Amino acid sequence: MFSSQVIQQLQQHETPFYYYDLNLLQQTLNACHKAAQTYQYHVHYALKANFNLKVLEAVQATGFGADCVSGNEVKAAVAHGFDSGKIVFAGVGKSDKEINAALDVNIFCFNVESVQELLVINDLAAAKNKIARIAIRINPNVDAHTHHHITTGLEENKFGINTWQLDDVLFTLKDCSSLEFIGIHFHVGSQITDLDVFKQLCLRVNELQNWFEQKGLTIKVLNVGGGLGVDYYKPDTNTICDFNDYFKVYHDHLQVKTGQEVHFELGRALVAQCASLIARVLYVKNGQAKNFLVLDAGMTELIRPMLYQAHHEIENLSKQDVTAATVKYDVVGPICESTDCFRTDVPLPESHRGDLMALRTAGAYGEVMASGYNLRDRVESVYSQDAYAGNITLV
Ligand SMILES: *Cc1c(COP(=O)(O)O)cnc(C)c1O
C-alpha cells in the first residue's frame, strides 16, 4: 500500500526504477533478528537475493552474517562491513580464483558441493599455509514443494553431495590436512511456504548427523539453509514473514546437541516485500480478444515472471478511485521477446498512457537479475524518505 505522499515522491522520478521502503526492510530484519535470538540461531543473509548497497548496509548493521555464492559476493560482503568470521560460501562451481579470494579473507566456512571440490580447496589452502573450515552440503532428497526451477534438494538437482557419496567424502577428508570439517549444510529450495518441508528437513538432518557421529566426526555446525517463502499475492496483509513460526519448526524438530550451533541462510524472506518495481504505461493497445498495457519496464528489469512463472501483484498507482471501471489487461514489457509479459488478464482500473504502475514484492531476485539485453539502461533505485505509512503487524 502506497500513501499519497509516497506516490507523489514516485511521480518525480524517471521510470522504470526500484522503490525501496527502507523502514519496512528494517522492521523485517528486526523481526527476524529477534526471533532468531530467542533460540540463539545464527542467520546469514543470502546476498544473491539483493545486493543493493542500502540493503547490504541495513542487513550488516542488524548483525547478520553473509551467505555468498561467488567470490565477488564474498568481496562485497567484506567491503560492506560484514564480519568475515560470519561469511559462508556455497556454490556448485567455485573457481580457484573465488576459493583463493575467500581463503584470503578467512571466511567462516566453505559449503562444499562435491568430493573433487574438497581436494581443490585442500590444495589451495595448503598453498597458502591455511586451514579452510568446511561443511559438507548434503542433498537430503527432501521435496521443497515449490516451483521446479527453484527446487535444489532433490537427487536430480545439481547441488550438494548425495548421501551414497558420503563414504567417499569421509575417505577423502582423511587425506585433507588443510581442511577442518565443522559440519553439514543443506538448502532444499526457495519460496517454500509449507513449513512441513522444513520439518522433513529436520528429520533428515537428525539422521545424517547421527551417521557422521557414528563414524567418529564431530558436528559443530548444522547449517539448514534458507528458502522461507513470502506472500506474493497479499503483500499488504502478510508483509512480514512469521519468523517465530519458522524458527519454532527447527526448535521443535531439530536435535541440537551440546556445543552445536544452528545456522540459517535467509534471502527472500528478508527483502522481498521491501521493494516494488515502478514503471509507467507507455501504450494501451485495445484488441478484439486482448487488451495490452505496454510498460516501460520488462524482463530486463524483473525477469521472475518469465523465468519461473512467478506472480507479482500489479497496481495502477495513478488510479486510486476504487469505483473506476475494471478492464482486463495483459501487462507486458517493451523487450523484443514474446515471453516479455508480466501477467495476463490482470483486472485493473481503466489505464492510460503515463499511468504509474507498481509491481509489488520485487525486493528479492529482482534488481539483481536486471540485464542489459536490448542495450537497456541500468535500472535505478529510489529509497523511501518517509516512515512507512501502511499497516504492518509486527510478529
Ligand atoms: C539462494 C540461497 C539461499 C537463500 O534462499 P532464499 O530462498 O532466498 O531464502 C540460501 N542458501 C543457499 C546455498 C542459496 O543458494
Side-chain angles (χ1 to χ4, degrees):
M1 196 109 100
F2 294 85
S3 67
S4 49
Q5 249 176 327
V6 169
I7 295 174
Q8 253 179 14
Q9 183 199 344
L10 301 181
Q11 290 283 7
Q12 291 159 18
H13 294 273
E14 190 187 337
T15 50
F17 58 85
Y18 273 88
Y19 172 70
Y20 285 90
D21 184 334
L22 296 179
N23 219 301
L24 175 58
L25 170 63
Q26 194 59 59
Q27 292 188 48
T28 310
L29 296 173
N30 291 349
C32 180
H33 191 249
K34 190 169 159 221
Q37 273 194 328
T38 314
Y39 306 109
Q40 288 163 350
Y41 288 160
H42 300 254
V43 176
H44 305 264
Y45 168 64
L47 258 75
K48 76 174 188 292
N50 192 322
F51 41 75
N52 181 293
L53 211 85
K54 295 260 189 208
V55 172
L56 290 189
E57 277 173 10
V59 172
Q60 185 274 333
T62 309
F64 293 127
D67 167 36
C68 302
V69 290
S70 74
N72 285 346
E73 282 191 3
V74 171
K75 287 183 192 167
V78 172
H80 289 94
F82 284 88
D83 178 353
S84 55
K86 289 186 185 178
I87 294 178
V88 293
F89 183 12
V92 71
K94 302 176 190 78
S95 70
D96 294 20
K97 186 176 161 187
E98 291 177 309
I99 293 167
N100 277 325
L103 286 169
D104 285 341
V105 296
N106 300 317
I107 63 164
F108 173 62
C109 186
F110 290 87
N111 292 328
V112 176
E113 311 223 6
S114 67
V115 173
Q116 200 169 27
E117 186 190 330
L118 282 174
L119 296 167
V120 171
I121 298 178
N122 183 60
D123 284 351
L124 294 173
K128 287 181 185 289
N129 251 325
K130 291 195 171 194
I131 303 287
R133 281 173 296 274
I134 62 112
I136 300 296
R137 177 171 182 173
I138 302 174
N139 189 336
N141 209 19
V142 167
D143 191 342
H145 296 294
T146 184
H147 191 273
H148 61 281
H149 285 166
I150 49 175
T151 294
T152 55
L154 291 176
E155 282 173 2
E156 68 211 51
N157 299 125
K158 69 177 177 182
F159 300 99
I161 294 175
N162 289 319
T163 46
W164 66 79
Q165 296 164 309
L166 290 178
D167 282 321
D168 199 9
V169 167
L170 296 199
F171 186 75
T172 306
L173 275 175
K174 287 199 183 95
D175 286 337
C176 291
S177 55
S178 298
L179 300 183
E180 180 191 350
F181 169 85
I182 63 167
I184 49 182
H185 170 243
F186 305 83
H187 176 65
V188 294
S190 201
Q191 184 52 20
I192 297 166
T193 48
D194 176 3
L195 291 183
D196 189 59
V197 169
F198 299 118
K199 177 185 164 184
Q200 296 311 318
L201 173 62
C202 288
L203 303 181
R204 283 295 281 152
V205 176
N206 294 342
E207 282 172 26
L208 285 160
Q209 69 157 322
N210 288 337
W211 184 89
F212 274 87
E213 302 217 320
Q214 277 162 15
K215 300 276 178 182
L217 278 91
T218 309
I219 305 253
K220 217 155 60 183
V221 170
L222 296 172
N223 183 336
V224 292
L228 177 61
V230 300
D231 194 339
Y232 280 93
Y233 288 83
K234 294 200 177 77
D236 293 319
T237 353
N238 296 323
T239 312
I240 296 180
C241 291
D242 196 330
F243 294 106
N244 285 320
D245 275 6
Y246 170 67
F247 290 126
K248 192 166 181 305
V249 172
Y250 287 92
H251 177 71
D252 290 347
H253 300 287
L254 191 65
Q255 284 165 15
V256 182
K257 300 180 181 163
T258 320
Q260 276 183 342
E261 295 175 1
V262 184
H263 290 241
F264 291 82
E265 303 167 335
L266 290 170
R268 186 190 311 272
L270 297 176
V271 296
Q273 300 290 13
C274 79
S276 296
L277 173 62
I278 308 294
R280 268 179 221 280
V281 176
L282 283 177
Y283 300 103
V284 184
K285 286 175 57 164
N286 292 315
Q288 274 180 336
K290 286 276 184 193
N291 298 303
F292 292 97
L293 285 187
V294 184
L295 306 189
D296 61 4
M299 63 194 287
T300 41
E301 285 70 41
L302 179 64
I303 201 175
R304 300 189 64 257
M306 303 79 182
L307 195 59
Y308 15 69
Q309 289 93 49
H311 175 96
H312 289 269
E313 283 295 307
I314 301 178
E315 291 167 21
N316 184 328
L317 301 180
S318 301
K319 301 282 190 297
Q320 296 289 316
D321 176 7
V322 288
T323 61
T326 299
V327 180
K328 280 190 177 166
Y329 294 104
D330 282 15
V331 180
V332 303
I335 305 305
C336 297
E337 293 287 343
S338 295
T339 53
D340 188 33
C341 171
F342 287 117
R343 265 174 65 197
T344 56
D345 295 318
V346 189
L348 286 165
E350 190 174 2
S351 303
H352 300 93
R353 173 172 164 84
D355 284 357
L356 203 61
M357 309 294 290
L359 286 101
R360 305 289 307 276
T361 320
Y365 309 104
E367 187 185 353
V368 284
M369 284 199 195
S371 81
Y373 183 45
N374 286 193
L375 209 52
R376 299 271 293 168
D377 286 332
R378 228 188 90 103
V379 65
E380 301 285 329
S381 3
V382 170
Y383 304 95
S384 56
Q385 297 157 345
D386 311 314
Y388 185 71
N391 296 314
I392 296 181
T393 349
L394 260 179
V395 287

